[in-house]
Amino acid sequence: MSNVVWLLNEPASTFDFSYYNSLFTKKECGKIISISDNYLQSEVSCGDSSIRKSSNHWIYPEDGEWIYRRIVDILFYLNNKIYNYKLDGIEPLQLTQYKTDDYYHNHVDIEPDNNSNSDQRKLSFSIQLSKEEDYEGGNLILHGSDLENVNQKSTGTIILFPSYRLHNVSEVTKGTRYSLVGWVRGPSFV
């Protein structure tokens, strides 16, 4: 990562997730939100509002090449340092808006593997875009992990974890939470 000059501190890790503070500045986070703000659409995931209530917008490389470059650099750095998964590439990014009473209940990001020769989601990540004081609730919870000891609401923080981890976003009780989420694919685990 010699060409990445913005690495100011070492990432922190446990066996089940890793995180890196200040991947994006507050100003950059605001710029990412503004890319999607006029295009956010309500979405019910899995066709069932009992699982997810949020709005989102897909961000493609042509919408923000600088965003992808920054994310890919840290993802591959963290993967090489911590996970050592064989990875092929990143899916389009999803900007997600959770307003008061929005949530995303327990789920995993890995898809059922119908063909062991195919690729699959291997790493998932969430980047905090909102300022901590802009909302209450809306915590990312990785079940069976020590994530509650991470200041995950620090603007610009990325949290990376294996896509097979059970996780959820608790209900936002006040304000609006913005996050940028994505998935990195690679050859099947099996």
Side-chain angles (χ1 to χ4, degrees):
M1 288 199 59
S2 59
N3 62 338
V4 181
V5 295
W6 45 265
L7 279 176
L8 302 175
N9 54 27
E10 284 296 306
S13 168
T14 71
F15 292 110
D16 53 2
F17 71 92
S18 57
Y19 66 96
Y20 186 84
N21 291 317
S22 304
L23 178 63
F24 293 105
T25 66
K26 288 181 181 180
K27 183 177 180 180
E28 289 170 329
C29 288
K31 189 173 177 183
I32 294 168
I33 292 170
S34 71
I35 289 171
S36 296
D37 223 11
N38 294 327
Y39 303 103
L40 287 166
Q41 297 179 350
S42 293
E43 176 174 291
V44 175
S45 181
C46 307
D48 185 350
S49 63
S50 67
I51 296 173
R52 180 180 189 180
K53 183 181 173 202
S54 65
S55 300
N56 68 49
H57 176 71
W58 296 99
I59 298 177
Y60 297 92
E62 58 271 18
D63 300 323
E65 189 258 335
W66 64 275
I67 302 168
Y68 275 81
R69 194 171 49 245
R70 182 89 51 90
I71 291 170
V72 167
D73 283 347
I74 195 65
L75 290 176
F76 282 89
Y77 173 74
L78 290 171
N79 181 61
N80 290 336
K81 192 168 182 82
I82 298 161
Y83 302 101
N84 292 310
Y85 293 160
K86 185 171 177 7
L87 302 175
D88 295 329
I90 187 172
E91 292 185 28
L93 302 172
Q94 182 186 91
L95 185 131
T96 306
Q97 176 193 61
Y98 294 94
K99 293 182 180 179
T100 302
D101 300 326
D102 286 357
Y103 53 83
Y104 198 166
H105 291 312
N106 292 345
H107 66 285
V108 294
D109 293 334
I110 198 168
E111 310 99 336
D113 188 17
N114 297 326
N115 178 357
S116 62
N117 295 325
S118 66
D119 72 339
Q120 65 182 181
R121 288 178 174 173
K122 294 182 95 170
L123 290 171
S124 299
F125 62 90
S126 178
I127 302 170
Q128 172 70 16
L129 299 178
S130 298
K131 296 175 189 161
E132 186 173 354
E133 61 272 12
D134 287 350
Y135 69 99
E136 294 176 8
N139 294 316
L140 172 64
I141 299 166
L142 295 177
H143 296 273
S145 76
D146 197 25
L147 187 61
E148 56 271 3
N149 293 329
V150 174
N151 185 8
Q152 60 173 290
K153 290 188 175 183
S154 176
T155 308
T157 295
I158 182 171
I159 297 173
L160 178 68
F161 54 95
S163 296
Y164 56 76
R165 298 278 311 161
L166 182 66
H167 61 286
N168 70 284
V169 175
S170 66
E171 184 176 318
V172 172
T173 57
K174 182 180 177 185
T176 302
R177 174 189 189 255
Y178 289 94
S179 62
L180 189 62
V181 297
W183 309 272
V184 188
R185 301 186 74 87
S188 175
F189 283 116
V190 277

